[in-house]
Amino acid sequence: MELDATAHGPGWTTPPVEEFRARLAAATAGPAWVVDGNHVDRTAEVLWHRADLLVWLDQPLRVVVPRLLRRSLGRIVRRAGLWNGNREGLNALVGRDSVIAWAIKQHRGHLTAHPARPAGLPHPRLRSTAEADRWLTAFGGAVRRGPGPTPP
């Protein structure tokens, strides 16, 4: 489950926290689930006590920001549809509400939010692409690089 699909309603609206958490709980009610996203303040209470593993991709801003720029610029140029009919515009790249400003603010916030994980929950903190690749290989997953189909 991609958290942004639940966190961003039509017109980039945000559902109330309790509604978001109810949707999240319903989507992860089964015996096996995977959740992708950053909304620690809205997800920890619902998920972390039920999780088997929490992977923290803690890439440096010098890696994150250029990736966000490329991703958002590509979406803008292609007019790619996102969650609930939303599309990124040039405002995604500039201003207080840009993805860049968001990334910088979130990067700082994650440093304080993630250490509050439940005791005993495996929690690898992967600080580089090479470290993430090594962890995925050791975990038994296929490493996917760049655009294209996911390997079998």
Side-chain angles (χ1 to χ4, degrees), residues 64-76 92-93 99-100:
V64 172
V65 169
R67 287 179 180 176
L68 280 173
L69 284 171
R70 279 191 305 273
R71 184 190 72 189
S72 291
L73 191 56
R75 287 175 175 173
I76 292 166
L93 300 177
V99 294
I100 305 309

Side-chain angles (χ1 to χ4, degrees), residues 16-31:
V17 172
E18 290 312 315
E19 181 181 332
F20 175 88
R21 287 179 176 157
R23 290 183 196 169
L24 181 59
T28 60

Side-chain angles (χ1 to χ4, degrees), residues 28-49:
T28 60
W33 43 268
V34 174
V35 174
D36 163 18
N38 293 311
H39 305 271
V40 175
D41 59 327
R42 301 166 77 188
T43 60
E45 182 179 305
V46 177
L47 296 179
W48 288 14
H49 67 281

Side-chain angles (χ1 to χ4, degrees), residues 11 21 43 46 51 55 57 72 83 95 105 121 143:
R21 287 179 176 157
T43 60
V46 177
V55 178
L57 297 176
S72 291
W83 322 275
K105 179 181 173 188
L121 178 63
V143 176

Side-chain angles (χ1 to χ4, degrees), residues 69-147:
L69 284 171
R70 279 191 305 273
R71 184 190 72 189
S72 291
L73 191 56
R75 287 175 175 173
I76 292 166
V77 168
R78 290 188 316 275
R79 301 269 312 132
L82 297 171
W83 322 275
N84 303 305
N86 294 315
R87 295 184 194 285
E88 284 183 307
L90 289 177
N91 60 337
L93 300 177
V94 295
R96 286 190 344 228
D97 295 329
S98 73
V99 294
I100 305 309
W102 173 86
I104 293 167
K105 179 181 173 188
Q106 291 300 310
H107 195 265
R108 290 184 198 127
H110 289 177
L111 296 176
T112 58
H114 278 281
R117 70 191 183 283
L121 178 63
H123 188 255
R125 181 178 181 182
L126 309 175
R127 298 178 190 222
S128 70
T129 301
E131 199 171 299
D133 288 348
R134 284 190 302 274
W135 184 84
L136 279 170
T137 300
F139 191 73
V143 176
R144 180 175 175 267
R145 286 294 205 190

